[in-house]
Amino acid sequence: METITQKYPLVENFIGGKFTSNGQEKMDVISPLDGAVLSTVPLSTAKDLRKAVKKAKEVYPAWSAMTIKERVQILYKYRELVLQNLEELAQLVHEENGKTLGEARAEVAKSVELTEFACSLPQMVSGQIMEVSQGVECRVERKPLGVVACIAPFNFPHMVPHWTVPNALALGNCVILKPSEVVPLSAVRMAEMLQEAGLPDGVFSVVNGGKEIVEAICDVKGIEAVSFVGSTKVAKIVYKRATSNLKRCVALGGAKNHLLVLPDAHVDMTAANVVASMAGCAGQRCMAAAAMVAVGEVDHIIEKMIDEAKKLIVGENLGAVISAAAKKRIERYITQAEKAGAKVLVDGRKATVPNKKGGFYVGATIIDHVTPKMKIAKEEVFGPVISIIRADDLDQAIEIENSSNYGNAAAVFTQNGGLARYVMEKASAGMIGVNIGVPVPREPFSFGGWNESKFGVGDITGESSIEFWTQLKKTTTKWNPEAWTNWMS
Ligand code: NAD
């Protein structure tokens, strides 16, 4: 539905270096901060996707024939543009996603770091050569895959596309981005800035939409690899569908991250870190603390956490959640837990911001005496809510952590190195923190969880992603006559 009150121009697809719209069905883009209509986004069809694939295939031979050193020159320029426009990009993330401006600035700064990693790829993909028998050489080179697609979620509109797009481009692929339809504005600026940096038309495209376009990406001929970041439910669908169509796929899913807090943990630091982890970005991070396993007597830390949570004021240092439906879902989890016998120590239900009545806010919430069988202990809430589960000892705490279907992150808070080491060894998660509430491995280390938090081989960022976006070409040569009768002849 077209709206006349929107703040930003109509979002269009970016295909062949041009913004185009084809009269597709449209959806309003709503700011979670106050419910205002920011823009409208097209819900594209397979036909739109096929156009982007066709354009990408046309330019792929020239793009992939450039050297990687030439390709990353464009990314160096792009990085400069992102830095120069950081404030504007952060404002956009703030408005379309609802996180605080400070969090949005940190998100865009992380996109810069991810682009820097892509710029460093020429130093990491130099290939190999060896004389394997007299006069016979084997050489191994990394080659791009062709046209690839990246599907993103709503919670990091700028950063998650930067997990994949710069690396895939630097390595010589043409990329089609499908942003979340609820936060499509950052991707528009990404396309504009890549073009301004000198990226040839058609090498990068943006195709907007929801389920239909994701399914088309999994099905269409000509897309060789698909990266997905989103909920586990959809990650499973995408992984199965893309691989059944013989595409390479890595699909990152949801999370339920457990922080194990031991009685000897540093009180102030632990309380501040646990609350920051559960409430940062309004709890809408796949690395957010969702469950705190209280090992033995840690009430002194919980008391401090209550003080920390009360310092968070919605609309000031605690952002909005993405939609009215998300607010309702989060509050429902809290109410269900309370009914099931848990004790709400800090209650974020009914939070409102006086001058932003149309916004979607949930206050920081701490719930104690949650049991592992409760719905809130098992499912992803994706809001500023932490469930405290009591454990008698460390082995029971590890058992609780291990029983989760997810496995993105886990952390331990203690001052005992031996116990920390034990948790590092036993936790069933891909990213482990010791006295760190959000243990994101920064570049060049890779990002990716275990269990139902990730499907596919390898991680989505860092060195691990090089394998995903490339294939190896092995060439064996001989030029000298004395090797003509070699057993390989
Ligand atoms: P989502 O799964 O609803 O959507 C992700 C993408 O899939 C979007 O582009 C959306 O348009 C598309 N989509 C939605 N439903 C679909 C369907 N039925 N079929 C095909 N495509 C569909 O996720 P979201 O709500 O945008 O993001 C939040 C989720 O993402 C959380 O579960 C969070 O934990 C997860 N996440 C995970 C990571 C990670 O690294 N593991 C990072 C960020 C977010």
Side-chain angles (χ1 to χ4, degrees):
M1 194 183 69
E2 204 82 33
T3 5
I4 45 164
T5 50
Q6 64 189 40
K7 183 170 174 187
Y8 292 97
L10 171 83
V11 173
E12 292 178 298
N13 292 336
F14 183 71
I15 297 175
K18 291 189 184 69
F19 285 98
T20 58
S21 53
N22 273 339
Q24 305 96 331
E25 194 189 329
K26 295 191 175 46
M27 191 182 103
D28 283 345
V29 181
I30 307 287
S31 175
L33 296 173
D34 54 9
V37 177
L38 295 175
S39 182
T40 51
V41 61
L43 300 174
S44 310
T45 62
K47 202 170 147 202
D48 302 301
L49 178 70
R50 283 196 296 272
K51 277 187 204 154
V53 175
K54 186 167 175 282
K55 286 281 176 198
K57 280 178 92 85
E58 280 166 20
V59 297
Y60 174 70
W63 176 243
S64 57
M66 283 168 70
T67 66
I68 187 168
K69 279 181 183 281
E70 287 169 331
R71 284 193 298 261
V72 300
Q73 294 311 312
I74 295 164
L75 292 174
Y76 277 112
K77 286 191 198 125
Y78 173 73
R79 173 192 173 275
E80 278 310 301
L81 288 172
V82 174
L83 271 178
Q84 282 162 18
N85 295 284
L86 196 140
E87 205 49 41
E88 177 230 318
L89 292 169
Q91 179 66 30
L92 203 53
V93 168
H94 171 56
E95 285 183 49
E96 68 174 336
N97 169 275
K99 64 181 67 176
T100 68
L101 196 51
E103 289 165 347
R105 286 191 189 107
E107 170 171 349
V108 181
K110 180 67 194 170
S111 302
V112 172
E113 182 172 82
L114 289 155
T115 308
E116 286 165 356
F117 176 76
C119 290
S120 76
L121 282 169
Q123 328 310 327
M124 303 170 75
V125 293
S126 55
Q128 291 171 307
I129 186 161
M130 185 185 178
E131 189 175 27
V132 288
S133 56
Q134 287 288 322
V136 178
E137 280 177 358
C138 257
R139 116 196 198 135
V140 181
E141 297 164 278
R142 286 203 174 272
K143 296 289 183 187
L145 301 175
V147 182
V148 300
C150 307
I151 303 164
F154 79 79
N155 62 332
F156 284 92
H158 201 262
M159 182 194 77
V160 167
H162 286 79
W163 276 359
T164 52
V165 175
N167 290 352
L169 288 176
L171 292 164
N173 301 285
C174 290
V175 180
I176 297 171
L177 172 65
K178 205 301 279 178
S180 163
E181 64 275 36
V182 291
V183 291
L185 297 168
S186 294
V188 172
R189 295 295 288 128
M190 192 174 174
E192 287 171 346
M193 286 183 187
L194 279 167
Q195 189 172 49
E196 195 181 336
L199 193 72
D201 291 347
V203 171
F204 176 69
S205 324
V206 182
V207 181
N208 290 284
K211 181 174 185 278
E212 187 177 342
I213 201 73
V214 170
E215 290 175 352
I217 286 172
C218 296
D219 295 345
V220 75
K221 276 209 170 67
I223 289 183
E224 309 301 332
V226 178
S227 74
F228 172 89
V229 182
S231 61
T232 290
K233 180 178 147 233
V234 183
K236 284 181 182 173
I237 294 169
V238 169
Y239 187 77
K240 285 183 192 166
R241 194 154 173 162
T243 54
S244 76
N245 282 311
L246 309 178
K247 299 181 198 307
R248 202 178 269 200
C249 185
V250 66
L252 270 59
K256 187 89 200 173
N257 305 315
H258 290 66
L259 306 189
L260 279 54
V261 175
L262 275 57
D264 74 334
H266 187 288
V267 180
D268 291 349
M269 184 197 71
T270 303
N273 275 216
V274 173
V275 171
S277 175
M278 72 101 161
C281 297
Q284 298 175 126
R285 285 191 287 203
C286 63
M287 295 295 279
M292 167 176 150
V293 189
V295 186
E297 183 46 68
V298 297
D299 284 356
H300 56 298
I301 299 174
I302 294 172
E303 274 163 33
K304 193 79 194 164
M305 280 168 54
I306 294 171
D307 296 343
E308 289 291 328
K310 286 184 175 164
K311 289 183 199 161
L312 297 174
I313 313 293
V314 286
E316 287 180 24
N317 52 1
L318 177 55
V321 297
I322 192 67
S323 61
K327 176 176 160 70
K328 218 166 141 184
R329 183 198 67 236
I330 297 162
E331 291 180 343
R332 193 168 54 236
Y333 272 112
I334 302 168
T335 305
Q336 277 169 352
E338 195 174 37
K339 282 192 183 146
K343 191 170 172 211
V344 181
L345 302 180
V346 182
D347 192 348
R349 288 171 289 188
K350 303 196 180 75
T352 52
V353 177
N355 54 347
K356 288 177 180 159
K357 290 269 187 268
F360 317 123
Y361 294 92
V362 179
T365 301
I366 301 178
I367 313 176
D368 200 358
H369 299 291
V370 169
T371 65
K373 287 209 164 68
M374 288 181 191
K375 213 171 158 64
I376 199 167
K378 289 192 262 189
E379 296 176 10
E380 184 178 34
V381 177
F382 223 50
V385 179
I386 195 158
S387 301
I388 301 175
I389 305 173
R390 302 280 178 159
D392 295 333
D393 56 38
L394 191 53
D395 282 322
Q396 193 190 356
I398 287 167
E399 209 178 295
I400 292 166
E401 190 280 334
N402 284 183
S403 67
S404 172
N405 289 340
Y406 297 102
N408 220 34
V412 58
F413 285 83
T414 178
Q415 298 189 59
N416 181 317
L419 294 178
R421 184 83 187 78
Y422 189 65
V423 176
M424 284 161 64
E425 198 56 39
K426 299 279 180 191
S428 180
M431 293 170 280
I432 309 292
V434 175
N435 297 320
I436 303 259
V438 186
V440 174
R442 292 177 64 172
E443 282 40 55
F445 303 107
S446 63
F447 189 101
W450 283 9
N451 309 325
E452 295 205 344
S453 290
K454 195 199 71 183
F455 305 95
V457 178
D459 286 341
I460 201 163
T461 66
E463 288 182 23
S464 179
S465 72
I466 298 171
E467 198 67 45
F468 186 74
W469 297 120
T470 57
Q471 53 195 338
L472 295 177
K473 179 173 270 185
K474 290 75 60 180
T475 308
T476 308
T477 58
K478 71 169 187 233
W479 293 103
N480 54 328
E482 63 272 23
W484 282 1
T485 53
N486 187 285
W487 63 270
M488 287 182 70
S489 301

